[in-house]
Amino acid sequence: MDFTKKLSTYAKLVTDIGVQVKEGDTIVIKCPIERADFARLLAKNSYEAGAHSVIVNWSDDDLTLMEYENSPVEVMEDIPQYLYDRNEYLYEKGAKFISVYAANPELLKNIDSEKIQRVSLAMSMKFKPLMKYTMNDINSWCVVSVPTKAWADKVLPESKDSVSDLWELIFDVTRVNLEDPVKAWKDHLQLLLDKATWLNNSNFKYLRYKASNGTDLDIELPEGHIWTAASSLNAKEEEFVPNMPTEEVFTLPKKDGVNGIVYSSKPLAYNGNVIDEFWLKFENGRVVDFDAKVGKETLSSIFEQDENARYLGEVALVPFKSPISDSNVLFFNTLFDENASCHLAFGKAYPTTLKGGDAMSEEELAAHGVNDSFIHEDFMVGTSDLSIVGIDHEGKQVNIFVDGNWA
Ligand code: ZN
Ligand code: ZN
């Protein structure tokens, strides 16, 4: 397959399998302006599939950096109401959202960390009420990625043509390079669903994580937790796939039921900075101690977002052996790195991972042990020797992961 063909196959997967565009839809695309070619392909596919309206929001790392370098923090913190209103209008209209994420992981490394934190907190607080539209699966949404020069250079520093090489990697891990990518995706989604069904039938009360890096963590799962994978249904019962690639089967932990210590297994790119080689100690769900060889300040800025950022909101199982891990590349982009490694998330849990959760009030969710926060941030803990044992309500132990992979 030549490059143009692969690119259009990839764009087709996003519109057909990702958000699954239907007649009359409004499609909102967020995309780096450097990849306008890709946004246009997505728009073309969407119209061809019957979309009535395609709205594109461009992002641009250079402009973002310029803003951080020049705009006063008080101005940046004052998020205009029209940005909120515009998004709320589109969510309420039932639009489907495609987010093409390809940030330079070190974009803000020379910006004062307090400024980054104040702006990020202001944004989280402002947009918090809108989180429900995606986290409760009211609207269809899909996050994908494309290479930009700055990001590709960070991922493949030795490459002579990092953008083309990163494209090839992305085509590999999103199954574009396979003979029949649509069928490959459908088969893959079914495999993930089978794992989720097995975990739901097992109804474990605890998960016990152990690895030679020092990880020794117990995670309690709340009554009524649901293991979810692959695809979701929006409020109109239309299917969508929120992440491409996706290799995870995930649920939520009981907010106050996490105890022990966990070590990170991959760097985490957060707010234009990289955090690496960190560990977290939990007591009754709360991070009570932590350290990081790289980016400790950035890590602590996550916890300063709000009190509940210190608690977990997601437990995700991903085999160590997957197309992404097999590439042996660190992407410095959570969409890829989280799908190559078991991960956990700081902050808000998906209400959809609890029985009846999407119809519960904030108080009801809290009473069921569901964490709520301004943030939801995944971090990677899976290693080649990670073992995860499930313990059911009778105390019976079952191997879930052995040596980093499904038992
Ligand atoms: Zn996840
Ligand atoms: Zn997550």
Side-chain angles (χ1 to χ4, degrees), residues 205-315:
K205 186 166 168 59
Y206 290 98
L207 304 179
R208 181 159 293 159
Y209 286 57
K210 277 199 165 63
S212 63
N213 62 6
T215 290
D216 188 353
L217 189 73
D218 279 3
I219 298 178
E220 186 178 350
L221 303 175
E223 201 72 49
H225 67 272
I226 303 171
W227 288 94
T228 307
S231 65
S232 308
L233 295 177
N234 71 15
K236 288 187 264 175
E237 305 269 299
E238 297 168 317
E239 190 185 49
F240 66 99
V241 175
N243 285 343
M244 300 181 87
T246 184
E247 305 288 334
E248 66 178 335
V249 181
F250 67 99
T251 188
L252 78 175
K254 188 160 175 284
K255 183 185 169 186
D256 60 4
V258 181
N259 286 286
I261 191 158
V262 69
Y263 283 76
S264 70
S265 61
K266 285 172 190 284
L268 167 62
Y270 180 77
N271 268 347
N273 283 281
V274 171
I275 312 165
D276 200 7
E277 294 193 55
F278 58 98
W279 57 262
L280 309 148
K281 190 176 167 210
F282 289 89
E283 270 173 30
N284 300 325
R286 187 173 189 273
V287 173
V288 290
D289 198 7
F290 63 93
D291 201 1
K293 287 212 176 120
V294 179
K296 187 173 182 187
E297 219 177 326
T298 307
L299 179 58
S300 79
S301 81
I302 294 180
F303 301 139
E304 279 153 37
Q305 293 276 314
D306 63 7
E307 170 60 20
N308 288 342
R310 282 181 180 261
Y311 291 81
L312 297 181
E314 180 186 335
V315 180

Side-chain angles (χ1 to χ4, degrees), residues 44-268:
K44 180 170 168 279
N45 291 347
S46 300
Y47 284 125
E48 281 172 5
H52 282 187
S53 175
V54 177
I55 296 161
V56 180
N57 298 323
W58 300 112
S59 61
D60 184 88
D61 275 354
D62 289 345
L63 289 174
T64 303
L65 181 59
M66 252 184 259
E67 189 185 8
Y68 271 95
E69 283 170 340
N70 296 286
S71 182
V73 66
E74 297 76 24
V75 173
M76 291 184 72
E77 277 178 323
D78 186 17
I79 320 280
Q81 183 61 29
Y82 72 83
L83 288 179
Y84 180 94
D85 294 342
R86 180 179 194 274
N87 282 319
E88 187 181 45
Y89 166 81
L90 291 165
Y91 281 125
E92 283 294 324
K93 209 172 160 3
K96 299 178 176 175
F97 289 74
I98 301 173
S99 178
V100 184
Y101 177 77
N104 171 358
E106 293 181 311
L107 182 71
L108 303 180
K109 71 173 175 196
N110 295 321
I111 301 293
D112 172 43
S113 60
E114 197 200 315
K115 184 173 192 178
I116 301 172
Q117 198 196 324
R118 281 177 59 179
V119 175
S120 129
L121 181 59
M123 302 241 276
S124 313
M125 286 174 75
K126 183 79 184 178
F127 293 112
K128 173 80 171 48
L130 301 182
M131 279 173 102
K132 68 171 187 212
Y133 292 102
T134 48
M135 292 194 77
N136 288 16
D137 291 344
I138 296 171
N139 294 68
S140 299
W141 53 284
C142 178
V143 182
V144 295
S145 207
V146 292
T148 54
K149 181 78 175 93
W151 175 41
D153 284 346
K154 171 80 183 165
V155 178
L156 302 166
E158 317 275 275
S159 166
K160 287 193 188 68
D161 185 355
S162 59
V163 170
S164 303
D165 290 347
L166 186 52
W167 265 127
E168 269 313 305
L169 273 173
I170 291 176
F171 292 148
D172 270 337
V173 303
T174 53
R175 299 176 167 78
V176 167
N177 283 336
L178 297 180
E179 178 116 40
D180 184 347
V182 172
K183 182 173 184 301
W185 263 93
K186 290 191 170 151
D187 292 348
H188 172 60
L189 296 177
Q190 189 56 49
L191 275 179
L192 292 174
L193 284 176
D194 291 347
K195 294 287 183 203
T197 305
W198 175 73
L199 286 163
N200 283 326
N201 292 337
S202 303
N203 191 26
F204 292 114
K205 186 166 168 59
Y206 290 98
L207 304 179
R208 181 159 293 159
Y209 286 57
K210 277 199 165 63
S212 63
N213 62 6
T215 290
D216 188 353
L217 189 73
D218 279 3
I219 298 178
E220 186 178 350
L221 303 175
E223 201 72 49
H225 67 272
I226 303 171
W227 288 94
T228 307
S231 65
S232 308
L233 295 177
N234 71 15
K236 288 187 264 175
E237 305 269 299
E238 297 168 317
E239 190 185 49
F240 66 99
V241 175
N243 285 343
M244 300 181 87
T246 184
E247 305 288 334
E248 66 178 335
V249 181
F250 67 99
T251 188
L252 78 175
K254 188 160 175 284
K255 183 185 169 186
D256 60 4
V258 181
N259 286 286
I261 191 158
V262 69
Y263 283 76
S264 70
S265 61
K266 285 172 190 284
L268 167 62

Side-chain angles (χ1 to χ4, degrees), residues 135 243 248 250 314 316 334 338 343-345 348 350 376-378:
M135 292 194 77
N243 285 343
E248 66 178 335
F250 67 99
E314 180 186 335
T334 301
E338 72 166 330
H343 56 271
L344 303 166
K348 187 172 169 63
Y350 288 96
H376 174 96
E377 192 61 37
D378 292 9

